[in-house]
Amino acid sequence: MEKEQKVEGERAAAAAAATQRWVIGVGFWVQGFRLFPWLGVNFFLKDAMGVPSSSLQILQASATLPMVAKPLLGLLSDAVPIRGCRRLPYVAIGALLQAVSWLGIALWPSLSLPVLTIFLLLSNFGASICEVANDAIVAEAGKQATSSSGGQLQSFACMFGASAGALGNLLGGIALSYFSPKLMFLFFAIVLVLQFFTTVAIPESSLKLPKATTNTSVISSIRKQTKELSYALCMPEIFWSVIWFSVSYAAIPFLLGTMFFYQTEVLRLDSSIIGLSKVFGQVALLAWSMAYNKCFKTTSARKVLSALQFITAVVMLSDVLFVQGVYRKVGISDSLYTIVFSGLLEGLMFFKVLPFSVLIASLCPSGCEGSVMAFVMSALALSIIISGYLGVALAEFMGVSGDDFSALPVCLLIEAACTMLPLFCSSWIKERKGKEKKEE
């Protein structure tokens, strides 16, 4: 009898694990595939709407503002269940909002820049809801795994997101050569509609996640989650690690929009080259996810994060030689460099997310995983927004514009130098061997 119960328990656990991986895989794949329409957005803004480089980068950064609301969404997801479920209903709502926004962009006649901005904000708001719920599922399911498999779900999610991003950029680069960006937006809206119906069809009980408490009011639940979030963020291990992680992005005046205009307007690179560049970055991110899970999972998070920060700065220094034509003189074409090194740089900017997510998930107190991971992703979004604004300010101060890129090498040197600064405070990344239990 005991053996039968044990076998049944193992079967139920295996079924729940399979369902968890299906839900996590679909959720992260669709969010990774968002790069498909966003590649079209860049060219749509530049070619169809005539937006200058500084305005393009400001719009790109500003469109991510809804991501800053992730802590609030995390609190809602943790404390306010919908029909007794805390995760999948939020994924479904986020997918539906995204579908509405991309349908609006694709079908709206005579689309103006303000209307486009509103739709992009709505899209990212829906994406932030999905990401908060998906991150919470990964954190909660990961805690149920054995210690020997710790971090595997994070790696699994990252691999699915990276593979979808690679496919999205590859198809996007090809699609831009044959179709209008609006058809790309329509196609992605259909993908989101399919995600919505798929998510609705899956009962959350099959995931075997911690159940929501039903004997407390919404207000008291939110207060409880807010208190637990405050407790978690005040833990030195989490507080200082999040500060360093945020500074490692916010301190960089990232010149993404400026480099996009330099590659397309000065070098006259085709959209397929830009797409292949982003594909290479996503493939590199996928390879890193696999390598981290196999080789670096047990390595000190401080060492891994510091090494990634240093490598990012080195690649940025390489961009200085690129814009000065050094690589062209030694036989490396602009197209090849853009595909490999520019793509690698975009991927490197997100390499740190995986080891940092594993670190925070291991430190996070039980019961507020969604809120803490949402806060971390919110801090990342805000840091990227600040980085984008700093990049625009640096380019404007140095006189870099769509017609004059003479000061771009100096800007890239400043960008690389700022990337090195967080290395001097890497001691802020805190770790501990065993997680202390929270006192009631």
Side-chain angles (χ1 to χ4, degrees):
M1 189 68 178
E2 291 182 359
K3 285 186 177 181
E4 292 180 356
Q5 290 178 347
K6 185 178 180 181
V7 171
E8 287 296 325
E10 290 176 350
R11 287 178 180 175
T19 307
Q20 288 172 359
R21 286 183 174 265
W22 166 259
V23 170
I24 292 170
V26 171
F28 278 84
W29 192 93
V30 173
Q31 292 311 304
F33 197 69
R34 291 176 65 232
L35 295 178
F36 173 77
W38 272 99
L39 182 61
V41 169
N42 291 336
F43 283 93
F44 184 73
L45 289 168
K46 182 178 75 73
D47 298 330
M49 306 191 75
V51 176
S53 60
S54 58
S55 299
L56 173 64
Q57 186 156 336
I58 289 175
L59 181 57
Q60 286 176 330
S62 301
T64 60
L65 280 172
M67 298 292 183
V68 181
K70 280 187 173 183
L72 176 60
L73 297 173
L75 285 173
L76 287 174
S77 177
D78 282 339
V80 185
I82 299 176
R83 293 188 176 183
C85 302
R86 298 187 301 160
R87 307 305 180 201
L88 292 187
Y90 287 95
V91 175
I93 291 171
L96 184 61
L97 289 176
Q98 290 180 84
V100 170
S101 63
W102 288 110
L103 279 173
I105 297 174
L107 303 177
W108 193 279
S110 302
L111 192 66
S112 64
L113 189 58
V115 174
L116 175 62
T117 303
I118 291 172
F119 279 130
L120 292 177
L121 288 169
L122 179 62
S123 171
N124 277 337
F125 180 66
S128 65
I129 296 175
C130 285
E131 289 177 8
V132 164
N134 285 324
D135 287 339
I137 292 173
V138 171
E140 290 179 336
K143 283 200 169 186
Q144 296 173 352
T146 61
S147 58
S148 61
S149 61
Q152 285 190 0
L153 273 180
Q154 285 89 345
S155 299
F156 174 80
C158 191
M159 284 188 285
F160 260 74
S163 62
L167 179 63
N169 280 317
L170 177 62
L171 294 179
I174 297 173
L176 283 168
S177 302
Y178 298 96
F179 308 105
S180 69
K182 286 198 169 187
L183 281 177
M184 297 171 62
F185 306 153
L186 181 61
F187 175 78
F188 186 63
I190 295 173
V191 172
L192 289 165
V193 171
L194 293 176
Q195 184 196 16
F196 170 77
F197 285 111
T198 301
T199 305
V200 170
I202 298 174
E204 187 168 312
S205 58
S206 63
L207 301 180
K208 303 299 182 183
L209 298 176
K211 294 182 179 180
T213 54
T214 56
N215 56 348
T216 55
S217 66
V218 171
I219 295 178
S220 61
S221 296
I222 292 178
R223 285 177 179 172
K224 180 176 179 290
Q225 290 299 140
T226 303
K227 185 178 180 180
E228 290 183 346
L229 175 61
S230 301
Y231 171 87
L233 295 178
C234 289
M235 295 167 62
E237 297 90 341
I238 294 180
F239 176 81
W240 288 109
S241 297
V242 171
I243 291 293
W244 184 90
F245 187 66
S246 302
V247 170
S248 71
Y249 285 95
I252 305 173
F254 201 36
L255 299 166
L256 181 62
T258 304
M259 286 299 292
F260 174 74
F261 264 74
Y262 176 77
Q263 292 164 350
T264 55
E265 294 298 309
V266 177
L267 303 181
R268 298 293 179 182
L269 297 180
D270 188 69
S271 61
S272 60
I273 299 297
I274 304 299
L276 285 174
S277 169
K278 295 180 181 296
V279 168
F280 189 88
Q282 292 299 313
V283 171
L285 186 59
L286 176 62
W288 162 244
S289 303
M290 299 171 65
Y292 176 81
N293 191 44
K294 289 186 177 181
C295 306
F296 301 102
K297 189 170 57 176
T298 57
T299 306
S300 166
R302 181 185 301 172
K303 291 180 180 179
V304 173
L305 293 169
S306 298
L308 291 174
Q309 192 76 11
F310 177 77
I311 294 171
T312 302
V314 171
V315 176
M316 287 179 174
L317 285 173
S318 178
D319 277 351
V320 179
L321 303 178
F322 168 61
V323 298
Q324 290 180 329
V326 174
Y327 291 111
R328 198 179 307 123
K329 293 177 183 178
V330 298
I332 300 177
S333 66
D334 295 333
S335 299
L336 180 60
Y337 182 91
T338 299
I339 291 173
V340 177
F341 288 94
S342 297
L344 179 61
L345 179 58
E346 285 198 40
L348 274 169
M349 291 297 291
F350 295 97
F351 273 27
K352 292 180 295 185
V353 175
L354 174 57
F356 191 78
S357 297
V358 173
L359 172 65
I360 293 298
S362 67
L363 299 174
C364 179
S366 180
C368 58
E369 294 88 354
S371 302
V372 173
M373 294 304 297
F375 184 88
V376 170
M377 293 300 106
S378 171
L380 173 62
L382 183 59
S383 299
I384 291 176
I385 291 172
I386 294 173
S387 174
Y389 288 163
L390 288 177
V392 173
L394 176 61
E396 289 291 324
F397 179 77
M398 298 299 295
V400 176
S401 63
D403 302 321
D404 183 10
F405 291 90
S406 58
L408 184 56
V410 179
C411 290
L412 292 171
L413 278 173
I414 295 173
E415 180 187 43
C418 292
T419 305
M420 297 287 285
L421 292 178
L423 291 175
F424 295 100
C425 52
S426 60
S427 60
W428 293 357
I429 305 172
K430 305 294 182 180
E431 298 175 274
R432 53 180 175 172
K433 294 180 181 179
K435 189 169 66 174
E436 299 173 0
K437 292 183 179 181
K438 177 183 172 183
E439 295 182 3
E440 295 295 336

